[in-house]
Amino acid sequence: MGARVKYRSSDVDLLARLMRGEAQAEGEKGMLTVGAVVINRAVVRCSDFKNVNNINDVIYHYMNDDAMFDAILEPDFYLKSRERERRLAEQTIKGWREWPSKYSLWYFNPWGPTSQACPAMWYGQPLAGAWKNHCFYQPTSTECAEIYR
């Protein structure tokens, strides 16, 4: 299977560190689902992601002065990635896409201080499903038809 986006070794490392920072407590599938969202954002040109074209752009993307990923604000994000994490990152780059992140462009963890179940809609996006503590949201076909190709 070919890569869904162009990448270099440094992109694999960056994605691996993000996947670890966002979802290591949720196991390999949790990290894969987060990685799939990153790659989905890199390949589409719709919604909030019209101007991100690669893994680096996606990970360091800010909206309204807010980082799109909390992990990049944590010191552990800047630690070296491990081989297992790099393997998972490369797997998502090369096409791993499964439920609930197959078509998802967003996810979040609602189990913070307010602790709630996944809402059916989040910022106008329908719930695709959940994996452990993360809720995944995919765009409608009118908002981003290309994610479904």
Side-chain angles (χ1 to χ4, degrees), residues 5-93:
V5 294
K6 290 182 181 183
Y7 71 100
R8 300 179 309 239
S9 178
S10 60
D11 296 316
V12 175
D13 180 65
L14 181 61
L15 181 58
R17 291 184 292 122
L18 182 83
M19 291 164 63
R20 174 186 64 211
E22 292 281 320
Q24 73 177 338
E26 297 181 0
E28 287 194 1
K29 183 166 182 180
M31 288 191 285
L32 287 166
T33 56
V34 164
V37 168
V38 171
I39 302 305
N40 286 346
R41 289 178 180 185
V43 300
V44 299
R45 300 292 169 266
C46 59
S47 187
D48 298 326
F49 312 105
K50 292 176 182 156
N51 298 312
V52 294
N53 301 305
N54 56 54
I55 292 167
N56 187 76
D57 287 353
V58 172
I59 291 174
Y60 291 112
H61 185 210
Y62 279 74
M63 297 261 319
N64 304 320
D65 295 325
D66 292 325
M68 296 292 282
F69 297 104
D70 292 337
I72 70 169
L73 305 173
E74 299 298 325
D76 287 354
F77 173 74
Y78 298 92
L79 298 175
K80 183 175 170 51
S81 63
R82 295 177 283 240
E83 183 55 38
R84 171 182 170 236
E85 298 153 358
R86 288 180 60 81
R87 179 182 48 80
L88 294 172
E90 196 159 6
Q91 197 173 336
T92 62
I93 291 168

Side-chain angles (χ1 to χ4, degrees), residues 94-111:
K94 291 186 175 178
W96 187 96
R97 284 182 7 161
E98 292 182 12
W99 177 91
S101 62
K102 184 171 186 173
Y103 303 114
S104 296
L105 294 175
W106 303 272
Y107 68 87
F108 87 109
N109 180 344
W111 302 101

